[in-house]
Amino acid sequence: MELKKIKRALISVFSKEGLAPIVKKLDELGVTIYSTGGTQKFIEKQGVRVERVEDLTSYPSILDGRVKTLHPKIFGGILARREEAHLGQLEEYQIPEIDLVVVDLYPFEDTVANTSDESAIIEKIDIGGISLIRAAAKNYKDVAVLASKDGYDDFLDLLKSQSGSTSVADRKELARRAFRVSSHYDTAIFHYFNEEEDWTFNQSILKNEALRYGENPHQAGVFHGDLGQNFEKLHGKALSYNNLVDIDAAVGLMREFKEDKPTFAVLKHTNPCGLACRETVLDAWKDALAGDSISAFGGILISNAAIDLATAMEIDKLFYEVLIAPDFSQDALEHLMKKKTRILLKIKSFDGPKRLFKSLLNGVIEQESDLKMEKAEDLTVVTSKSPTDEEVSDLLFANKCAKHLKSNTIVLAKNEQLLGMGCGQTSRVDALKQAILKAGHFGFDLEGAVMASDAFFPFPDCVEIADKAGIRAVVQPGGSKKDQDSIDYCNNNGMAMVMTGTRHFKH
């Protein structure tokens, strides 16, 4: 393995954290260091000799620091191939070879996150730094590049282990990391200017976490993102791919109830199988579990209210994978943590992405997130009989649940409790029959319950079956050419029907 000695380095960084050991090691190795501005002053404070970029270029830093390193005597030394023709030009124009470039870019993303001041944001678009990174990475056969403070520790180990020398393999890996940094940086700038008006697909997430496996043990899996922005993990084993998919579904469902009275949901394979709103979190848990105590085994549990000890003790009787809540009392937490593998997440926000995308075939499909949810004023009564206030409350509850079940889906509910659901069926009639069967299996009386459908009824068969089961009110989006057939059946049999005008398919 042929090693190349670092003789000259250019250092220009925003964050100085962790830089001192590197500059001291470079100085110890006899490397000439070039720098400017705040980085130069920082290096000098470390007692390390530094050559001023301005002395090399014979130009000062100008335009309020916007132009410092953009000069042929800098970029020539970085981009020159170490071959006779290029080296001859360097000698002719008195340009020193630069073997190492160390950069940490202006914090553009942090600035966008912390201010709406456009002028401040624009000033944090790094020009010189990103140009240095790209130049050094392009010429990796001769130049090493360190493109982020996140790589300081690894690079210091490399300097120590190889006495200030690098192999072409080392430099190529550093170039790969550098282009990763520059690509992500440019993507963040694009998204700031794009303002979601352009459907150009351009995503970049630097942080990632390897998962034990993907959906199945023979599939590799990775999570790209920072879960710490959404949750504080309080306890339990590492989250799996399937855990994350279910957690996403659980948060999406509870987003609909985040401002409501205590609500508890149980999900299995992304589908809510138990859901209830009550005056206390304990009662909400008990009635959610009653909706399907069998499917709840090994499920994902989520609440919009803090978990107290009494609720924790009841929950602890069930085997579950994940419990999510906005808070836990200390005694509840201590009790729940006795089970070593149970995952406890304290949710920081129920907010979700504005757009969703997934890969398929040889591309990606993207859509706006379904953030619409109907309120009482959005319901249009289409039958001669209007639903009672209690039925309206149940209809809205059932409609929220139906939105988060796989299509085709039917939800049966009463007193803000999920009594039965059918989901993922190729026939809406089959979904209804499944919902009735589940409700009966768990001992629920459907007399006076309501029904919600994620899409319209093409025939009156569903309302007829529902009527015979005791259902008294129905909510559906409408939109079928044969809507009137279902309306007529309801009118002839004393049922109330409301339409929302909004379909909530979920595939």
Side-chain angles (χ1 to χ4, degrees), residues 35-37 40 52-63 67-74:
S35 191
T36 185
Q40 172 200 325
R52 297 170 69 243
V53 166
E54 291 88 336
D55 293 338
L56 175 61
T57 64
S58 299
Y59 269 90
S61 172
I62 62 173
L63 306 178
V67 180
K68 290 181 284 191
T69 56
L70 295 167
H71 194 281
K73 283 203 170 183
I74 298 297

Side-chain angles (χ1 to χ4, degrees), residues 169-194:
D170 295 330
R171 295 191 296 274
K172 190 170 185 178
E173 172 58 19
L174 289 169
R176 183 192 69 81
R177 297 181 187 182
F179 281 124
R180 182 170 178 254
V181 169
S182 65
S183 173
H184 178 78
Y185 197 77
D186 285 341
T187 298
I189 295 169
F190 167 75
H191 282 300
Y192 172 74
F193 281 96
N194 190 38

Side-chain angles (χ1 to χ4, degrees), residues 257-273:
F257 297 92
K258 64 180 181 179
E259 304 297 337
D260 290 5
K261 60 188 177 183
T263 303
F264 225 112
V266 182
L267 290 91
K268 196 69 173 287
H269 300 302
T270 75
N271 290 302
C273 56

Side-chain angles (χ1 to χ4, degrees), residues 240-255:
S240 70
Y241 179 98
N242 291 331
N243 287 156
L244 290 170
V245 173
D246 285 334
I247 289 168
D248 178 65
V251 172
L253 171 64
M254 198 53 65
R255 187 179 302 131

Side-chain angles (χ1 to χ4, degrees), residues 8 56 71-82 90 95-101 139 142-143:
R8 299 179 187 85
L56 175 61
H71 194 281
K73 283 203 170 183
I74 298 297
F75 281 85
I78 297 170
L79 285 165
R81 291 192 292 268
R82 276 41 170 183
L90 293 187
I95 299 173
E97 299 174 35
I98 295 175
D99 310 302
L100 169 66
V101 172
N139 204 26
D142 295 302
V143 180

